[in-house]
Amino acid sequence: MNPIVKSVPNGWSENAADLINKLIVRKDDQRLGKNGISEIKNHEWFDEINWIELENHRLEAPFIPVNIEDYFDESYLD
């Protein structure tokens, strides 16, 4: 039997891929977050998030679109 080879999409970090893989586990009793949101918040991918500042609306958005008139503006897509 061949071992499962996990590939990471271009542009993704290993932590991002690990988080997604743990969130999409088919069996809910093995899925990240089964014991509460703190399991997800404590994942390494979120290490730089200050959850208290986020909850208190004190963080600046990392991206603010210029054209807020057109919600279907495709100019931001790659």
Side-chain angles (χ1 to χ4, degrees), residues 9-58:
N10 290 337
W12 285 35
S13 67
E14 292 287 333
N15 280 338
D18 182 64
L19 173 65
I20 297 301
N21 284 325
K22 288 179 177 177
L23 288 172
I24 64 171
V25 170
R26 188 173 295 218
K27 294 183 179 181
D28 60 352
D29 64 328
Q30 297 175 1
R31 192 176 304 136
L32 184 66
K34 68 177 183 205
N35 295 311
I37 191 69
S38 63
E39 280 186 347
I40 297 170
K41 289 167 70 173
N42 289 327
H43 187 275
E44 290 177 358
W45 194 75
F46 293 113
D47 278 352
E48 295 183 22
I49 300 292
N50 182 328
W51 293 104
I52 294 170
E53 294 292 307
L54 179 66
E55 290 168 7
N56 290 315
H57 305 277
R58 291 190 213 140

